[in-house]
Amino acid sequence: MKTTIVTGSTSGIGLGIAESFALAGYNVVLNGLGKGDEIEATRARLASLGAGDVIFHGANMLKPDEITDLVKTAEAKFGSVDVIVPNAGIQHVEKIEDFPPEKWDAIIAINLSSAFHLVRAAMPIMKKQKFGRVVAIASAHGLIASPYKSAYVAAKHGIIGLMKTVALEGAEFGITANAICPGYVETPLVSGQISDTAKARNMTEEQVINEVILKAQPTKQFVTVEQIAAFAMYLASDQAAQITGAALPMDGGWTAQ
Ligand code: NAD
């Protein structure tokens, strides 16, 4: 039975990915912030979906030691770490000259450095197994920029570079590393951005959805959590063994423009 770690899986895209892996019978390690009772309810619900076990580890993605412990805990409990999904992320939308340096540091730490710490701890285990899948949730903002998102765009470009390096280092050990680059998905992270962008650009939230967000996506539709989860499952499969070091857009055509 294979084991998957999904960081930031108490909400949004990470939760959807964890759910898909649980349903497919993987052991799953949930991680993220939230209220204890709500997290336990999610854990129990996911555990009831498939044949694998589901545990929660509360590693804060700002703390390298806790991320290392997350990987060690998974290995100790399940005996392997097969798929890691660096997904945890935060956003802050503000003009660069007003962008708080502490927000820059937090976004780089959570959206980029935590993926390094996760891979660093898991790599020896995956090399020994001669199997590993790293599926980072980057963003269309890993490929192109938008104004007012300096830290996020920098972190997401960075995680694509990290995945390319991991792909090369893991290539002869059955390890692949890829970055899924979603367009806009309706999650709590985007709801926050809609209100922040409305303030930054002096628009209503409805105007932001229609004139900023969905304007970027030629399909005029949000990407769904389920679509990303299915893509992550595919990248984790044996059939995807030759896809590695890739930045894979799933953005309704946004980056084709
Ligand atoms: P979300 O806010 O719903 O979920 C973020 C998750 O990260 C939560 O579980 C939260 O608890 C966790 N998290 C935040 N800070 C943490 C910390 N310090 N330690 C541990 N966990 C922490 O957001 P989402 O939209 O599901 O985003 C998930 C990923 O997808 C992010 O990396 C985001 O950049 C990326 N993404 C989102 C979209 C979108 O439109 N929603 C588009 C492209 C990429």
Side-chain angles (χ1 to χ4, degrees), residues 8-14 31-33 59-62 87-90 110-111 137-140 152 156 182-185 187-190:
S9 45
T10 51
S11 164
I13 295 168
N31 160 262
L33 310 177
N60 187 328
M61 292 298 117
L62 289 165
N87 163 79
I90 58 168
I110 295 170
N111 297 21
I137 306 307
S139 168
Y152 189 86
K156 295 299 186 182
Y184 284 104
V185 190
T187 66
L189 181 137
V190 163

Side-chain angles (χ1 to χ4, degrees), residues 145-188:
S146 293
Y148 315 123
K149 296 181 181 174
S150 54
Y152 189 86
V153 169
K156 295 299 186 182
H157 276 68
I159 203 166
I160 290 174
L162 174 65
M163 288 306 108
K164 289 180 182 175
T165 307
V166 175
L168 298 182
E169 293 189 25
E172 292 179 40
F173 296 89
I175 299 167
T176 69
N178 294 290
I180 298 179
C181 301
Y184 284 104
V185 190
E186 267 188 299
T187 66

Side-chain angles (χ1 to χ4, degrees), residues 76-250:
K77 170 86 180 156
F78 298 123
S80 72
V81 175
D82 304 280
V83 184
I84 55 174
V85 183
N87 163 79
I90 58 168
Q91 174 63 288
H92 184 78
V93 180
E94 198 155 359
K95 276 188 214 141
I96 198 158
E97 58 268 40
D98 297 330
F99 209 94
E102 58 277 13
K103 286 278 183 200
W104 169 275
D105 287 344
I107 290 174
I108 298 299
I110 295 170
N111 297 21
L112 175 58
S113 301
S114 75
F116 161 73
H117 296 298
L118 190 73
V119 173
R120 184 174 182 273
M123 204 68 175
I125 304 167
M126 292 179 161
K127 278 188 173 174
K128 213 161 91 188
Q129 292 166 180
K130 294 254 188 278
F131 181 87
R133 294 283 185 268
V134 187
V135 183
I137 306 307
S139 168
H141 281 120
L143 300 166
I144 53 165
S146 293
Y148 315 123
K149 296 181 181 174
S150 54
Y152 189 86
V153 169
K156 295 299 186 182
H157 276 68
I159 203 166
I160 290 174
L162 174 65
M163 288 306 108
K164 289 180 182 175
T165 307
V166 175
L168 298 182
E169 293 189 25
E172 292 179 40
F173 296 89
I175 299 167
T176 69
N178 294 290
I180 298 179
C181 301
Y184 284 104
V185 190
E186 267 188 299
T187 66
L189 181 137
V190 163
S191 317
Q193 253 181 90
I194 291 168
S195 50
D196 289 351
T197 305
K199 273 181 226 139
R201 298 196 183 188
N202 201 18
M203 297 165 90
T204 66
E205 295 197 3
E206 205 180 324
Q207 281 175 315
V208 172
I209 291 174
N210 294 316
E211 294 171 28
V212 180
I213 293 190
L214 292 183
K215 188 177 167 223
Q217 294 190 183
T219 56
K220 302 278 177 269
Q221 288 176 30
F222 283 100
V223 181
T224 69
V225 166
E226 292 73 20
Q227 289 162 350
I228 298 172
F231 199 12
M233 291 288 310
Y234 174 68
L235 290 174
S237 72
D238 289 337
Q239 287 81 357
Q242 295 304 320
I243 303 176
T244 194
L248 302 159
M250 192 177 210

